[in-house]
Amino acid sequence: AWAKSKGLRVHLTTTCFGSKELKALLSSPTTRTRCIAEITAAVALRAADGVNIDFALLQSSERSTMVAFMQGLRTAMPNKELTIAPPSVDWNKSWDLKALSEISDFLVMMGYDYYYSGSTTAGPVAPLRGETYSVSKSIDAHLAVGVDPSRLAVAVPLYGRTWMVTSTARKASEVAGS
């Protein structure tokens, strides 16, 4: 209510982080339909302007069912904003980014955690360029598969990481267990 009173648009966020959980949700048409109904009801209850879908660890076997889920959500909420948060790197070719960009108002690419708490070496959280994987390479990869540039947004981090490393060398190994 506060955000709306300030003229801001409000999107609810639906998260699901886990390959088993996503498979259970996406592989069952009944479960997908129930989830879509619950999201639609929550958006209506809060008078939200839309919803952001933030699913992580999508497997390639769920590529088409993810598209079906988003299409079902679009059909259920034709006049609401629909965004999705795909990863910066599609490691398993699990994301049909072109199809998802045609269904969604925006793809909000996660432009961070290129090096994260589980990394074995220190590195920049969101390198713009100069690394094997970087924000600019991720943007290029999303565009190369057909994502409409006017529908691609990049989420940037407002944090950094402290690394416990074995030396002062660039990209030094992280101390085990730190």
Side-chain angles (χ1 to χ4, degrees):
W2 178 88
K4 297 287 250 174
S5 76
K6 303 296 182 192
L8 301 172
R9 301 186 68 72
V10 175
H11 284 204
L12 302 182
T13 298
T14 299
T15 61
C16 186
F17 299 159
S19 56
K20 287 188 283 188
E21 294 82 356
L22 280 174
K23 183 172 184 63
L25 167 63
L26 297 173
S27 65
S28 165
T30 302
T31 305
R32 280 196 315 263
T33 299
R34 187 175 73 235
C35 184
I36 289 166
E38 290 175 7
I39 291 169
T40 303
V43 167
L45 177 67
R46 299 289 189 204
D49 297 295
V51 65
N52 177 58
I53 302 300
D54 187 359
F55 290 174
L57 303 176
L58 183 70
Q59 298 299 305
S60 59
S61 60
E62 301 309 321
R63 181 181 170 100
S64 64
T65 56
M66 181 67 196
V67 172
F69 175 79
M70 292 300 287
Q71 187 58 59
L73 201 51
R74 170 55 71 210
T75 299
M77 298 190 315
N79 299 316
K80 297 291 184 178
E81 294 173 344
L82 180 57
T83 63
I84 187 168
S88 55
V89 178
D90 185 7
W91 299 104
N92 302 318
K93 305 296 180 227
S94 301
W95 295 84
D96 188 340
L97 297 170
K98 182 178 187 325
L100 293 169
S101 73
E102 292 167 353
I103 297 165
S104 306
D105 293 293
F106 290 100
L107 269 63
V108 184
M109 185 192 86
M110 301 292 96
Y112 52 84
D113 280 352
Y114 290 84
Y115 290 85
Y116 61 101
S117 62
S119 296
T120 57
T121 61
V125 172
L128 292 178
R129 57 185 59 83
E131 299 288 325
T132 303
Y133 298 102
S134 66
V135 174
S136 61
K137 287 180 182 179
S138 293
I139 291 169
D140 290 344
H142 282 59
L143 297 176
V145 296
V147 171
D148 179 344
S150 70
R151 292 184 179 220
L152 182 61
V154 178
V156 296
L158 296 175
Y159 63 90
R161 291 216 180 271
T162 300
W163 300 96
M164 297 289 293
V165 293
T166 57
S167 76
T168 59
R170 184 176 187 274
K171 293 170 56 171
S173 295
E174 185 174 17
V175 174
S178 62

